[in-house]
Amino acid sequence: MIVKKFTASTTRDALQQVRDALGPEALILSNRVQDGSVEIMAMAESDMASLTHGASPSTAAMPIRHDIPGIKILEPTAPIKPPRAIDPAPTAPPHSPGPESTMAVETLAHEVKNIRSLIERQLVNFAWHEMRSAAPLKFDVLRALLDVGFSPRLARQLSNALPDELDEEKALRWVRGAIAHNLRGLAHGSELVEQGGVFALVGPTGVGKTTTVAKLAARCVLKRGPASLALITTDTYRIGAHEQLKIYGKILNVPVYAVKDEIELARTLDELRDKHLVLIDTAGMSQRDRRINAQIALLSSGKAAKVQRLLLLPATAQAGTLDDVIRAYLGTGLAGVVLPKIDEALSLAPVLDVVVRHKLAMHYITNGQRVPEDLHRANPLYLVDRAFKHEVEATHTPRDEEYPLKISAREDDAHAFLTEAQAV
């Protein structure tokens, strides 16, 4: 095999040399640019035929490309870049930042963010102490709301809306009334047991959905009789979950149906269309569980579209967790909330706070495991009174210098507080 090297100042001249020396059927093996010249390695087609004689079929059947008219270019294992014209004065490629440069930029951005956060905290601290001297009533109300567990955002909004010329006692009374007014309790006679319909109880694990279904069912049976009610369970995840509901159904003499998918649910709801009230017990899922979307789709598809969802918000959960739960379960078809575990909560302020901020309708509260005694209609005045009677333990009470840190824990709260403090 004779491999020849051809060198020229341009690709066109080098290819012409190949054509003149080896003929139009020559095979180009490689091409590269070296010292400003184009270098092509090529061989005659006859030499290639003798090389492949007796080779394996896979070797002899190497594909041939016809990228250049009159010249056959062998397709090697690694692709060869087609030749291109040589720029007499090639420019260097633009410099791309290396890993060290990128890391330095990220470190600088992180340090700038930390400095900004530090400055904001200092400014909030100054504004907090200035508010104490410029608007002592607003300061006292804001601090009282933070003490019992309301969020800085709601506490700030309420303190800013205080009417003028109120003493501290009247100001706190006004704040309680404002919170109770914004808690959307049900009007007299609008209880869902009286309204009727199809309601599904949803929420995280362990909040008492099955027990609450039993309480509502017993309440309906006492008022309208067992013939007016039916129970459905979609909880096929927990072992024996539907058995618990069947026990309640047997005690109340109410039928219980277990469904697995949209088709079974639609068929069951069609059979129960004459029932005054249908209660659906669902599987408890963490707000981070991806199956929540499938559960909502199950309760919103086909004939199930008429299902109204009641979200159970445990009064024992932290405010941040409650916000996360609401974001996960919120959507079309959410009729309101039930607040279980009122008797176990140290403070009711966090759960009332999220109900007010998300403008959710409260239906019921629960304060124990007894069926049906421990189910009550939500009373906003009673709940607000309970929230303000909470006595904060000394361990969890912020010091005076720690209140600004609590307000500035969230960046948007810090910005809002500084903006509003300038208007005081």
Side-chain angles (χ1 to χ4, degrees), residues 59-71:
T59 305
M62 270 191 176
I64 302 297
R65 293 175 54 190
H66 300 276
D67 292 345
I68 302 175
I71 302 291

Side-chain angles (χ1 to χ4, degrees), residues 231-257:
L231 303 178
I232 298 176
T233 177
T234 64
D235 190 354
T236 58
Y237 299 100
R238 293 185 300 143
I239 298 176
H242 61 283
E243 296 297 334
Q244 182 182 1
L245 193 63
K246 284 185 177 180
I247 293 174
Y248 285 124
K250 186 175 181 180
I251 294 173
L252 298 172
N253 195 25
V254 171
V256 178
Y257 302 84

